Amino acid sequence: MKKSKILYSILFFGICLVPSVGMLFTHQESSSENRTLAEFPSFKTEDGSINFDWLSQAGDYFQDHFAFRNELVTANAVVNGKVLGVSTASGVIQGTDGWLYYKDSLSDYLGTDPLSERSLFNIAHTLSMMQTYLEGRNVDFLFTVAPNKNSLYDEHMPYYDKVKVSDEKNLDRLVSWLSSEGVHYADLYHMLLSQDETLYHKRDSHWNNKGVAMASDLLLDTLEKEHDSWDEEPYQVRTDFEGDLDTMLYPSMPQLEDEVYYDRQTTYAYVGEVGSNFDPKITTVNPVKSGSLVMYRDSFGNALLPFMADAYANAYFSRGIPYQLSDIDTTGADTVVVERAERFLPEMAVSAPVMAGPAVVPESLLNQDAEDGATDLASKNVGNMVQITGRIKPEYLDTDTQIYLRINQAGVYEAFPVDVKLEDGTLDDGGFCLYLYSASLAPGENNLEVVTKDDQGYHIIYSHTFEPAA
């Protein structure tokens, strides 16, 4: 009996040591999750003092790098997913019949955290300001939204649908604001919803190549851009696609899915070295096509890239946030497309594009005798521009109030309306952001007046003196 206890103890501790000892003999696994793995900590901090957090940081490193991690993560996921029907990956929802959904889309699906009407206005009006600026330079503009997977195919969502607060989504409500603001918009949601076949992957958060091809045709048709439609193109189906959600959940045992591959040969080429379509900045050329495109895109746009690049002589694709409208100058583009995933619409409300605020000539300026209508004014240099931000107090703001800044009682410029993230994590939808070229400001002190516009005209609601940072 004593001998068996000793053998049991040796076996138990031996198994426990396998993950740590195995690190000496196995190669470091890359992350299958949508995050950066912890690095091995230093015994000293950057200022040379002792790192008293070393033990906890070393624990984080071990948790991310222990031997056979992916295999053990997969085994745990299989037991929970196949037997219990639940997901072990924080970013993945285990649906029915083997379907997987991205958890970032859940609040929108349930209607638990809808954007305010002012936030929706902020998005739509910002896009309208971009469009007006670009059209003034003879550049076509188009905005589109790639729908969440569960917005189109929710029949495989688990029990979550029983706790829905509302079926009305941010996208549904935004579309009416886009219309009232005159934004050129391509409606991918209803186009995809009207199809009889499923055009998203079962175990990935994105569309398949056939869905992408149909989306590109709609975008190019809306832009009235000459192109060869993919509608009648022959294609092959191969079972070789590895879904992003599947890899997150089952890193060592992904289940391959069908993918569509068109027979048509594309004619574009990459400029410079490109690792994949996930690279943040990609330039393409196409000697047999015409026109120049700038496309701001996210992961849905990565799949769109080959289809859009094949329609333009020159194309530049950026994943950068905020959008840098100076890209138009460097590329000579005649078309700008903004593509955003539905789940990222709230992020659009907090990020103004980097673009000089348009100058306006108001008929009159009425001082409301309100010297406290704004708060949290701040300025900072951004390249050759100065960024001025702040918030309007709620009593001076309606849903569609436009915001302007007057500098040194001379130039009046329209600011982008934005949501501002506060220290407690909540959002204030009464923010503003203005970019001005540094030459527009005096080298010393500048007088800034915050102006709002309503049906009665322009109203000065705040006055402030500031000196731009050196």
Side-chain angles (χ1 to χ4, degrees), residues 75-86 94 250:
N76 182 49
V78 168
V79 171
N80 282 273
K82 307 295 185 183
V83 179
L84 303 178
V86 295
Q94 181 82 50
Y250 306 109

Side-chain angles (χ1 to χ4, degrees), residues 170-361:
N170 287 327
L171 179 56
D172 301 326
R173 299 163 56 224
L174 176 62
V175 168
S176 63
W177 279 108
L178 295 174
S179 177
S180 65
E181 288 292 316
V183 176
H184 297 161
Y185 171 65
D187 186 354
L188 294 177
Y189 171 72
H190 285 98
M191 183 275 290
L192 293 167
L193 190 66
S194 67
Q195 307 304 312
D196 293 331
E197 57 187 312
T198 299
L199 297 168
Y200 277 47
H201 288 290
K202 184 177 180 179
R203 306 178 71 76
D204 189 271
S205 55
H206 303 91
W207 39 29
N208 63 23
N209 279 341
K210 191 170 186 180
V212 177
M214 296 176 67
S216 69
D217 276 343
L218 178 61
L219 297 183
L220 294 169
D221 287 344
T222 306
L223 288 165
E224 299 182 353
K225 170 66 176 172
E226 183 180 350
H227 70 287
D228 297 320
S229 174
W230 293 89
D231 185 42
E232 300 296 331
E233 287 292 324
Y235 60 83
Q236 311 296 321
V237 177
R238 299 199 292 268
T239 308
D240 61 358
F241 182 82
E242 191 173 294
D244 58 354
L245 302 177
D246 202 19
T247 304
M248 289 171 63
L249 192 57
Y250 306 109
S252 295
M253 197 178 66
Q255 179 180 318
L256 298 181
E257 291 187 72
D258 289 347
E259 180 59 288
V260 168
Y261 294 92
Y262 286 92
D263 295 344
R264 185 204 297 179
Q265 295 297 309
T266 55
T267 54
Y268 74 92
Y270 294 108
V271 176
E273 186 175 345
V274 175
S276 75
N277 286 351
F278 283 80
D279 287 6
K281 298 177 181 180
I282 296 175
T283 300
T284 63
V285 292
N286 195 330
V288 297
K289 299 294 171 64
S290 62
S292 180
L293 169 72
V294 167
M295 183 171 180
Y296 299 108
R297 94 288 188 202
D298 50 33
S299 57
F300 277 89
N302 296 338
L304 268 169
L305 188 151
F307 297 87
M308 299 298 289
D310 203 47
Y312 286 89
N314 301 279
Y316 173 72
F317 301 87
S318 173
R319 295 185 66 180
I321 300 292
Y323 306 138
Q324 305 285 331
L325 270 293
S326 59
D327 294 334
I328 313 308
D329 299 318
T330 56
T331 63
D334 57 43
T335 303
V336 171
V337 174
V338 174
E339 173 275 321
R340 208 74 172 117
E342 182 182 357
R343 64 177 180 265
F344 291 141
L345 289 179
E347 295 182 14
M348 292 194 71
V350 302
S351 182
V354 180
M355 177 191 103
V360 299
V361 182

Side-chain angles (χ1 to χ4, degrees), residues 109-110 154-155 157-165 167:
Y109 175 75
L110 297 178
D154 66 345
E155 60 269 25
M157 282 288 286
Y159 65 90
Y160 291 120
D161 61 348
K162 296 180 176 59
V163 291
K164 272 189 178 182
V165 174
D167 285 320

Side-chain angles (χ1 to χ4, degrees), residues 37-107:
L37 299 182
E39 297 181 358
F40 191 80
S42 171
F43 289 103
K44 290 186 176 182
T45 61
E46 292 182 0
D47 62 5
S49 59
I50 297 174
N51 181 10
F52 291 103
D53 295 323
W54 187 89
L55 282 176
S56 63
Q57 293 172 0
D60 293 337
Y61 174 82
F62 174 77
Q63 183 174 312
D64 281 351
H65 296 274
F66 62 80
F68 315 112
R69 182 181 188 276
N70 282 349
E71 289 78 5
L72 293 171
V73 167
T74 298
N76 182 49
V78 168
V79 171
N80 282 273
K82 307 295 185 183
V83 179
L84 303 178
V86 295
S87 168
T88 56
S90 59
V92 181
I93 296 172
Q94 181 82 50
T96 60
D97 298 326
W99 277 63
L100 303 176
Y101 296 89
Y102 199 36
K103 201 163 189 176
D104 273 8
S105 65
L106 186 58
S107 63

